[in-house]
Amino acid sequence: MTKVQNFIGGELVDSVSGATMPLVDPSTGEEYATAPISNEQDIDNAYAAASKAFVDWKRTTPSSRQKALLDFADDVEKNAQALVEAEGRNTGKPNHVTMAEEIPPMVDQIRFLRRCGKDVGGQVGRRIHGESHLVDPS
C-alpha cells in the first residue's frame, strides 16, 4: 500500500500527529494508500517553510523564475502518465479523459504564467470581475 506524505520544506514528512486516513479508489472500492490527516501544526510548518523559501525566490530574476516554470511544465509533460494514473485512482476519472482534458491545459497555463513575470515587471496580474489588479510580491 502506498503511503502519501506532506511535502514541506523540500521533504516528504508525516503529519505531526501521525494520524492517517485511507484513500479509496472510487471506481473499485479498493484502499490503495494512506494519507496524512494534517492539523494546525502541519499547516504552520508548511507556512514557515514557504515563507523561508520565499526569501530567496523573491530575489530571483524574472529569467530564473521563467526557467523554473518552464522546467516544471516540462516535468509535468514527462510525468503525465504517472500523474494521470494517480488522479484516476484518486477520483475514479478515466485516464484517457484526464490525459486529454487536464494535462494539456495545465501545461499551457504554466507556460503562459511564466511570461507574466516579464510582461508585468515581476508582478502577478489578476483579472477579477472585469477589473485588472497587480499584486506586488515584495
Side-chain angles (χ1 to χ4, degrees), residues 39-51:
N39 60 29
E40 187 175 339
Q41 184 61 55
D42 296 299
I43 295 166
D44 289 345
N45 291 347
Y47 184 85
S51 295

Side-chain angles (χ1 to χ4, degrees), residues 7 14 16 19 23 27 44 58 74 87 101 111 114 131:
F7 188 70
D14 294 330
V16 172
L23 296 180
S27 66
D44 289 345
K58 73 180 180 179
D74 291 344
E87 180 70 1
E101 295 180 357
R111 289 189 173 134
R114 64 108 179 145
E131 300 176 24

Side-chain angles (χ1 to χ4, degrees), residues 2 6 19 21 48 50 55 58-59 74 101 103 116 119 124-125 136:
T2 301
N6 292 328
M21 61 183 260
V55 170
K58 73 180 180 179
R59 291 187 180 109
D74 291 344
E101 295 180 357
I103 298 295
C116 290
D119 291 345
V124 177
D136 185 351

